[in-house]
Amino acid sequence: MNLAIIGAGYVGLVTGACLADVGNRVVCVERNSERLDVLRHGGVPFFEPGLAELVAHNAQAGRLSFTDDLASAVHRAEIVFIAVGTPADEDGSADLGHVLEASAALGRTISRDMVVVIKSTVPVGTCHRVQAVIDQELRARGVDWRIAIASNPEFLKEGSAVDDFQRPDRIVIGTEDPEALRLMAALYAPYNRNRDRLIHTDVRSAEFTKYASNVMLATRISLMNELARIAEKVGADIEAVRHGTGADPRIGHHFLYAGVGYGGSCFPKDIQALARLAADHGESTPLLHSVQRVNEEQKRVLATKIRQHLGTSLKGRCIALWGLAFKPNTDDIREAPSIALVRELLADGATVRAYDPAAAENARRAIDHPGLTIVPTAWDACEGADVLAVVTEWREFKSPDFHGLAALLKCRAIFDGRNLYDPDYVESCGLAYYGIGRGGRRVRSGSAETDAYAVMTGYW
């Protein structure tokens, strides 16, 4: 098919590259001149495993191209995707300015019947607003093209987006138009062969499904983090609890990891947007507000543990930090727990030596502070540091040389924000170990002070 995608950001570019890779002709429309220049020269403006190769291959094959000219992009298009950003507005609601602007521009340039698909995460009712905006522009031009609207929410995880698109667990298509459904089913047929993943709903239900999915996942994370806090107080190990709880098939093992909270561009924004949408319709959402509150509190847990170990004042202390991206395999630092931790440590008078395989440049732009040094390797971060905080579970952090760390760190302590390590083994290497919810354990580092229970150190 001939496809146009408005917006070559994260969702738009992954969608365009993957659809081109199965033989479609895709034109991505991008207004940002810097991003467009990167794409036209064969680059990708953000880090996502496998995406750069996919973009380069399909651009070279002539199936994927980039432009800032909307009219030329949609001239032959059978389906147009709108995949622009919907950032949080001041009141927490989703800002639909880019979506409605793209819709109006489409209405001014459409020259044939087509299907318009909303790929952006939008509040319920947005597709009908898009239809109204396009119809208004068509009437103003005195033309009567048949435009069908569909909602096709994305379920891509940063760090595995290409694989998620090519091997989807579901393909949600919301439309009341039979022709739009037929075209969309044909478009997704290459991803729907060994079992039927296509879920057809009405438009509003498709729009709501995206929000419901993200809120459900965020709720599991905050619940596990709240349970981890209780586990520390009562002397239970949240990792053992996770295995025992996840064995129940009604619960399952996914998204049951305690840590330092979630980040990224989706969960925080979508929870706020759904709460705002509910308020606009007279519904209160105490659970949604609690999920976000617990998450913000969880981002401070490591700083609290570090202060308890080193003393109330961190002035003159140096903290090594592994991981700046909000999750592994991405360079995205939006709402990242690491950024909140760095800012809190700097505010307390500490200096920070940080390392991340992909997010270093984004972190430099986000935090311009003389107390933050971003270094080229994980071991460079530990040079001259008192303790180490691990915030992002990058693969290269999963099995470090603990004996080497014990020799390098002045105060010989690891603060494991993702529960990556076996506390017994870490402690046997001469390091004090502080995890998340790892209750009922002594911190064995060879001194009476750090061999005490949580009454002394805040760590059970």
Side-chain angles (χ1 to χ4, degrees):
M1 295 186 188
N2 294 309
L3 310 174
I5 298 179
I6 303 176
Y10 187 84
V11 173
L13 188 56
V14 172
T15 300
C18 290
L19 289 174
D21 201 50
V22 293
N24 298 291
R25 292 173 294 276
V26 181
V27 181
C28 291
V29 183
E30 178 55 56
R31 293 194 316 176
N32 184 299
S33 58
E34 291 183 9
R35 178 177 292 175
L36 181 61
D37 188 59
V38 170
L39 292 167
R40 281 175 164 170
H41 285 85
V44 171
F46 51 85
F47 177 73
E48 178 63 36
L51 182 59
E53 297 81 359
L54 200 66
V55 169
H57 171 70
N58 286 283
Q60 187 175 15
R63 293 189 296 269
L64 180 63
S65 60
F66 306 95
T67 183
D68 56 1
D69 184 358
L70 178 64
S72 65
V74 304
H75 177 66
R76 296 175 57 200
E78 298 156 83
I79 301 175
V80 176
F81 288 87
I82 296 179
V84 296
T86 54
D89 214 335
E90 291 182 1
D91 63 355
S93 62
D95 183 350
L96 296 177
H98 298 307
V99 172
L100 298 178
E101 184 180 348
S103 304
L106 258 181
R108 292 191 292 269
T109 56
I110 288 172
S111 58
R112 55 170 294 166
D113 294 346
M114 66 173 56
V115 177
V116 175
V117 180
I118 309 303
K119 199 74 173 170
S120 305
T121 300
V122 295
V124 175
T126 300
C127 284
H128 290 96
R129 292 181 65 182
V130 168
Q131 179 85 69
V133 169
I134 292 175
D135 288 347
Q136 181 180 2
E137 294 292 343
L138 292 177
R139 286 194 299 271
R141 293 169 56 199
V143 295
D144 190 28
W145 301 114
R146 185 177 182 276
I147 308 302
I149 303 292
S151 171
N152 176 217
E154 52 86 13
F155 300 99
L156 307 177
K157 300 185 294 293
E158 290 192 47
S160 60
V162 171
D163 189 64
D164 288 344
F165 194 100
Q166 295 176 335
R167 297 172 180 82
D169 48 24
R170 62 206 143 153
I171 302 165
V172 176
I173 299 172
T175 185
E176 287 85 33
D177 187 285
E179 179 62 13
L181 179 60
R182 185 190 69 79
L183 275 176
M184 291 295 288
L187 179 66
Y188 279 108
Y191 312 105
N192 200 36
R193 295 191 66 187
N194 65 344
R195 65 178 177 86
D196 190 6
R197 297 175 173 85
L198 197 149
I199 300 170
H200 175 222
T201 73
D202 60 278
V203 169
R204 288 177 177 267
S205 295
E207 291 171 324
F208 196 76
T209 297
K210 170 64 175 180
Y211 280 111
S213 297
N214 278 356
V215 167
M216 193 78 70
L217 294 172
T219 301
R220 283 173 71 99
I221 294 172
S222 282
L223 177 58
M224 281 304 293
N225 284 332
E226 193 160 274
L227 291 174
R229 297 182 203 172
I230 301 171
E232 288 198 7
K233 299 294 185 183
V234 302
D237 184 349
I238 198 65
E239 283 295 288
V241 173
R242 174 175 67 83
H243 288 294
T245 304
D248 186 330
R250 297 170 301 174
I251 298 172
H253 292 284
H254 295 294
F255 272 71
L256 286 187
Y257 293 91
V260 288
Y262 57 76
S265 63
C266 294
F267 287 2
K269 173 177 69 72
D270 291 352
I271 289 173
Q272 291 182 55
L274 185 56
R276 182 71 255 175
L277 179 67
D280 290 343
H281 287 78
E283 285 294 329
S284 63
T285 52
L287 180 57
L288 296 188
H289 291 292
S290 294
V291 167
Q292 190 70 348
R293 177 181 53 78
V294 168
N295 190 63
E296 291 306 308
E297 292 171 355
Q298 196 69 14
K299 292 180 180 181
R300 306 191 63 183
V301 164
L302 279 194
T304 299
K305 291 176 181 290
I306 291 170
R307 278 192 292 266
Q308 288 172 335
H309 182 80
L310 294 178
T312 54
S313 174
L314 296 181
K315 189 172 183 179
R317 296 291 193 173
C318 179
I319 313 300
L321 188 143
W322 286 358
L324 291 163
F326 85 94
K327 64 181 291 187
N329 298 320
T330 182
D331 61 356
D332 194 346
I333 63 167
R334 287 174 290 183
E335 303 289 338
S338 60
I339 302 302
L341 174 60
V342 169
R343 286 177 172 147
E344 186 167 354
L345 294 173
L346 293 173
D348 281 357
T351 58
V352 178
R353 293 177 61 82
Y355 165 71
D356 188 281
E361 288 306 315
N362 286 340
R364 283 193 184 96
R365 286 193 288 268
I367 303 178
D368 182 13
H369 192 287
L372 172 63
T373 303
I374 298 178
V375 296
T377 73
W379 288 94
D380 287 338
C382 297
E383 289 283 351
D386 291 292
V387 298
L388 168 64
V390 182
V391 188
T392 311
E393 61 273 36
W394 284 95
R395 184 182 297 274
E396 66 179 273
F397 301 157
K398 291 187 176 181
S399 186
D401 176 3
F402 293 108
H403 287 101
L405 287 172
L408 201 57
L409 297 170
K410 295 176 182 177
C411 295
R412 299 199 303 175
I414 289 182
F415 296 83
D416 181 3
R418 298 296 178 182
N419 288 346
L420 297 179
Y421 309 130
D422 176 2
D424 287 334
Y425 181 72
V426 172
E427 291 164 1
S428 74
C429 295
L431 290 156
Y433 176 86
Y434 297 85
I436 305 295
R438 308 304 299 270
R441 303 183 45 77
R442 291 181 183 272
V443 182
R444 297 187 296 274
S445 63
S447 69
E449 290 82 1
T450 56
D451 199 37
Y453 279 104
V455 173
M456 300 292 291
T457 64
Y459 175 79
W460 260 102

